[in-house]
């Protein structure tokens, strides 16, 4: 009962722009928390101070013009890119750092390995293993990383592949699959690891238009199951509006505006967001 | 005097045996060294990168014959005396390993970055990334250049003649000295035997390649 009230309060608060900081104190512990995160590639600063929280099970859509740093934001959570400044917490623990003698130091591979078990990522270009068939793509990590037996891993994989509609493709190699099928295998491959947070980085933008629907449908089903938090970096505005609990609009390395899908899409406040959405609509995407 | 060129065969085959033994063991050494040095050049640790780079440059920057002379004639002066066979295998193995390491290095670098990223996203440990995902893909790219190198290696074993090992070339030279008038026949046979060995080997590599890529890429 208490918890339910907490969540309602949270929803109330998140409707007030600029007060998202208050949400920290409403009882649920965030699963993801970026604090003052910046990222530079050489002289180019692509993220300029990101503060962001995600609650367990929360679906957060990240939108914004290309080059604004969305992918970099997600890659940091997957430990593929190290923050230049700031910290990221995952399930209450620092992701990229450890405390040593009261000082924050860059964590080693051992720490990263332990932390990473909470996160998964789906890539724009699938990144399936071309030398393994579909089943092996999905069982490889459960067996080698989680230490499941062949039987356990296959049971888990087959049921997940069934869920994404590919139960009849187990023995196929990725090169013989359509883009939509490849992406669904990639989703199954990430899901069998049972992460608490999953980053989806423009997972449909490399697909032929007629294949986008089948992948979105799978993501919709995963979202409905609920437990896993999702960071959806996307250009599919209708889809974001439909499944996101919260939408974040970023531009030039900063979070410019965030709120519920209705607030962001129907009632944008900043000029940047208004013109971004306008450009999107006039392009008819 | 021999009745026909057939009479040269037993002697030449005896030499071919030595050639094949030297080629076989130096190829294995070269393969191992290729992987160790090739991966060493991609190491995160600068000391390993530097050491392997120095090795590669030294062995690519000097000739195999000079390396062979060093191992066989110069090392005894600092107290290391190697049997001919060992000196030959070491020289050829280390020389071809230096070239082979470049094949390994560039094949690993040619595996798309997305493959590494997927292994991180699936939380594989560094050696699992390499062993289960990257090397199987890189190996396919390595096969054709390794096949070429293997043929080169077999041909280069004739240099062991200069440290007086009784290989195929050596036996042919001995026969030629004894039967000068048969020089043409002897040298044609020598040529043919190298050609047959090299052709069989490159055929085997190509079959292996076809088998490994079947239905996949
Ligand atoms: N590894 C990198 N090296 C240098 N620049 C990079 C690298 N990755 C991304 N960038 C740059 O960072 C900026 C943000 O990139 P990205 O996060 O991919 O944006 P988005 O996903 O919003 O399009 C771009 O200008 C991009 O060129
Ligand atoms: Mg991007």
């Amino acid at each position: 009962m208490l918890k339910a009230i907490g969540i309602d309060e949270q929803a109330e608060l998140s409707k007030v722009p600029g007060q998202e900081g208050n949400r920290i104190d409403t009882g649920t512990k965030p699963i993801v928390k970026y604090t003052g995160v910046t990222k530079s590639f050489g002289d180019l600063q692509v993220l300029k101070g990101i503060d962001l929280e995600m609650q367990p099970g929360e679906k957060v859509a990240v939108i914004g013009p290309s080059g604004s740093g969305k992918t970099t934001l997600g890659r940091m959570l997957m430990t593929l890119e190290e923050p230049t400044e700031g910290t990221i917490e995952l399930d209450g623990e620092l992701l990229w750092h450890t405390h040593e003698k009261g000082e924050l130091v860059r964590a080693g591979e051992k720490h990263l390995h332990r932390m990473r078990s909470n996160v998964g990522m789906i890539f724009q270009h699938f990144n399936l293993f071309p030398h393994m068939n579909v089943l092996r793509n999905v069982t490889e990590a459960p067996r080698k990383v989680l230490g499941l037996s062949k039987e356990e891993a296959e049971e888990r994989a087959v049921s997940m592949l069934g869920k994404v509609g590919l139960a009849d493709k187990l023995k196929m190699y990725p090169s013989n699959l359509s883009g939509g099928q490849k992406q669904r295998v990639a989703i199954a491959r990430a899901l069998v690891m049972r992460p608490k947070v999953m980053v989806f980085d423009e997972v449909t933008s490399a697909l032929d238009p007629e294949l986008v629907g089948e992948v979105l449908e799978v993501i919709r089903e995963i979202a409905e199951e609920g437990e896993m938090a999702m960071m959806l970096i996307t250009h599919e505005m209708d889809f974001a509006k439909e499944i996101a609990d919260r939408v974040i609009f970023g531009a030039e390395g900063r979070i410019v505006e965030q709120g519920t899908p209705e607030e962001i899409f129907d009632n944008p406040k900043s000029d940047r967001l208004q013109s971004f959405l306008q450009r999107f609509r006039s392009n008819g995407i | 005097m021999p009745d026909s060129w057939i009479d040269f065969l037993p002697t030449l085959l005896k030499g071919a045996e030595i050639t094949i033994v030297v080629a076989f063991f130096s190829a294995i050494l070269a393969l191992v060294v290729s992987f160790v040095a090739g991966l060493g050049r991609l190491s995160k640790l600068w000391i390993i990168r530097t050491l392997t780079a120095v090795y590669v440059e030294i062995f690519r920057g000097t000739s195999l014959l000079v390396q062979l002379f060093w191992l066989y004639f110069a090392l005894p002066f600092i107290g290391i005396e190697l049997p001919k066979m060992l000196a030959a295998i070491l020289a050829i193995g280390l020389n071809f390993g230096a070239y082979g390491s470049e094949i390994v290095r560039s094949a690993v670098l040619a595996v798309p970055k997305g493959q590494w990223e997927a292994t991180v996203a699936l939380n594989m440990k560094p050696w699992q990334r390499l062993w289960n995902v990257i090397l199987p893909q890189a190996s396919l790219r390595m096969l054709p250049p390794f096949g070429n190198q293997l043929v080169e290696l077999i041909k280069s074993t004739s240099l062991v003649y200069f440290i007086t090992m009784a290989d195929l070339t050596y036996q042919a030279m001995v026969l030629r000295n004894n039967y000068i008038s048969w020089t043409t026949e002897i040298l044609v046979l020598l040529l043919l035997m190298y050609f047959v060995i090299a052709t069989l080997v490159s055929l085997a590599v190509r079959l292996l390649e076809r088998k490994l890529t079947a239905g996949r890429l």
Side-chain angles (χ1 to χ4, degrees):
Chain A
M1 209 46 209
L2 246 167
K3 210 164 187 188
I5 290 167
I7 290 166
D8 282 342
E9 273 175 15
Q10 205 177 295
E12 278 304 311
L13 283 168
S14 67
K15 284 186 182 141
V16 186
Q19 288 214 352
E20 55 277 356
N22 292 355
R23 215 177 312 138
I24 303 165
D25 302 315
T26 52
T28 24
K29 201 175 72 166
I31 183 77
V32 172
K33 183 176 178 185
Y34 291 71
T35 310
V37 170
T38 70
K39 177 68 188 179
S40 301
F41 294 107
D43 289 338
L44 179 71
Q45 192 177 44
V46 301
L47 292 177
K48 300 172 179 165
I50 299 290
D51 295 296
L52 168 65
E53 276 186 21
M54 289 171 67
Q55 303 305 321
E58 193 183 16
K59 321 297 180 228
V60 176
V62 180
I63 61 170
S66 91
S68 57
K70 305 182 297 296
T71 294
T72 306
L73 188 76
R75 287 169 59 86
M76 286 180 163
L77 193 58
M78 192 64 261
T79 70
L80 291 169
E81 219 71 78
E82 188 179 352
T84 307
E85 297 167 295
T87 57
I88 301 174
E89 277 168 59
L90 190 60
D91 208 7
E93 212 178 328
L94 287 172
L95 174 62
W96 276 101
H97 303 85
T98 49
H99 288 286
E100 250 167 54
K101 297 174 198 137
E103 290 213 23
L104 225 50
V105 294
R106 159 75 153 86
E109 174 59 30
K110 214 171 149 192
H111 175 85
L112 291 176
H113 180 75
R114 190 167 56 77
M115 296 302 291
R116 239 183 244 130
S117 60
N118 295 311
V119 197
M121 182 161 179
I122 312 291
F123 302 91
Q124 191 174 345
H125 296 287
F126 333 123
N127 299 350
L128 292 182
F129 303 136
H131 59 300
M132 299 179 186
N133 67 24
V134 166
L135 184 62
R136 186 73 197 289
N137 260 280
V138 182
T139 55
E140 188 73 0
R143 290 183 63 189
K144 304 274 161 60
V145 179
L146 304 180
L148 298 192
S149 71
K150 188 162 184 263
E151 292 70 33
E152 289 170 311
E154 287 188 349
E155 199 183 308
R156 218 190 250 202
V158 168
S159 115
M160 199 57 83
L161 284 164
K163 213 150 127 185
V164 299
L166 292 171
D168 56 337
K169 301 278 190 280
L170 304 184
K171 298 288 172 217
M172 303 260 283
Y173 280 88
S175 56
N176 297 322
L177 299 177
S178 74
Q181 291 169 332
K182 283 183 200 170
Q183 195 58 294
R184 286 186 280 147
V185 174
I187 290 172
R189 183 176 71 169
L191 283 176
V192 289
M193 300 302 281
R194 301 184 177 161
K196 294 179 183 155
V197 196
M198 185 89 87
V199 179
F200 294 78
D201 186 12
E202 302 207 21
V203 296
T204 56
S205 54
L207 298 178
D208 293 335
E210 72 271 19
L211 301 177
V212 168
E214 64 189 58
V215 172
L216 293 185
E217 182 53 42
V218 164
I219 298 174
R220 186 178 291 122
E221 276 167 33
I222 301 166
E224 275 163 12
E225 283 175 18
E227 318 105 82
M228 189 175 70
M230 293 164 56
M231 179 189 280
L232 285 153
I233 301 165
T234 186
H235 281 137
E236 302 280 342
M237 297 302 163
D238 292 335
F239 186 66
K241 188 168 176 177
E242 177 194 344
I243 74 162
D245 301 313
R246 185 155 53 106
V247 180
I248 287 174
F249 170 66
E252 287 163 20
R254 290 183 213 283
I255 295 177
V256 176
E257 197 169 332
Q258 59 175 309
T260 63
E262 291 72 31
E263 289 167 337
I264 293 293
F265 294 114
D266 303 337
N267 196 10
K269 303 218 164 31
S270 62
D271 292 344
R272 296 286 323 235
L273 179 54
Q274 281 167 13
S275 65
F276 173 76
L277 291 173
Q278 199 144 35
R279 208 158 354 112
F280 240 89
R281 289 189 183 116
S282 62
N283 285 345
I285 306 168
Chain B
M1 269 287 147
D3 299 328
S4 86
W5 57 270
I6 301 277
D7 294 344
F8 296 127
L9 275 184
T11 313
L12 287 176
L13 284 175
K14 220 166 66 197
E17 198 184 318
I18 301 274
T19 295
I20 288 170
V21 169
V22 172
F24 180 77
F25 286 104
S26 48
I28 287 178
L29 177 63
L31 190 68
V32 172
V33 169
S34 297
F35 274 88
V36 172
L39 296 176
R41 297 204 65 184
L42 298 168
S43 169
K44 273 191 220 163
L45 305 172
W46 70 268
I47 180 81
I48 294 181
R49 281 201 310 274
T50 311
L51 283 176
T52 47
V54 167
Y55 154 71
V56 170
E57 289 313 319
I58 287 178
F59 275 82
R60 289 202 313 174
T62 57
S63 80
L64 174 55
L65 189 56
V66 173
Q67 289 156 22
L68 192 60
F69 284 167
W70 253 91
L71 286 175
Y72 189 65
F73 296 123
L75 284 189
F77 286 96
I78 57 167
I80 305 171
E81 212 154 319
L82 300 174
K84 283 179 196 173
M85 180 62 95
L86 188 57
I89 290 170
L90 274 180
I92 299 172
L94 290 174
N95 181 278
F96 278 86
Y99 288 96
S101 73
E102 288 294 294
I103 294 174
V104 170
R105 190 176 80 103
S106 58
V108 167
L109 287 176
V111 175
K113 252 183 79 201
Q115 292 292 308
W116 286 99
E117 295 176 353
T119 63
V120 173
L122 292 169
N123 206 11
M124 291 184 186
K125 297 207 163 114
W127 65 267
Q128 291 176 322
R129 298 174 197 163
L130 199 63
W131 187 252
N132 296 311
V133 176
I134 304 303
L135 283 183
Q137 296 180 58
S139 302
L140 285 185
R141 293 171 202 269
M142 293 175 206
L143 262 179
F146 267 150
N148 291 338
Q149 286 286 295
L150 187 54
V151 171
E152 285 301 315
L153 182 147
I154 290 166
K155 291 190 281 184
S156 79
T157 56
S158 62
L159 293 177
V160 303
Y161 162 76
F162 289 101
I163 58 168
T164 65
M165 277 184 81
D167 78 323
L168 184 53
T169 304
Y170 178 94
Q171 298 291 13
M173 288 305 138
V174 170
L175 286 175
R176 190 188 147 254
N177 278 343
N178 295 341
Y179 312 105
I180 282 288
S181 60
W182 289 81
T183 295
T184 313
E185 286 83 352
I186 292 167
L187 289 186
V188 166
L189 277 177
L190 178 65
L191 198 108
L192 276 177
M193 289 181 83
Y194 275 116
F195 182 74
V196 167
I197 296 171
T199 308
L200 287 179
V201 163
S202 48
L203 215 67
V205 172
R206 221 162 305 156
L207 280 179
L208 182 66
E209 202 183 324
R210 194 165 315 160
K211 191 159 170 272
L212 289 180
T213 47
R216 291 182 186 186
L217 296 171

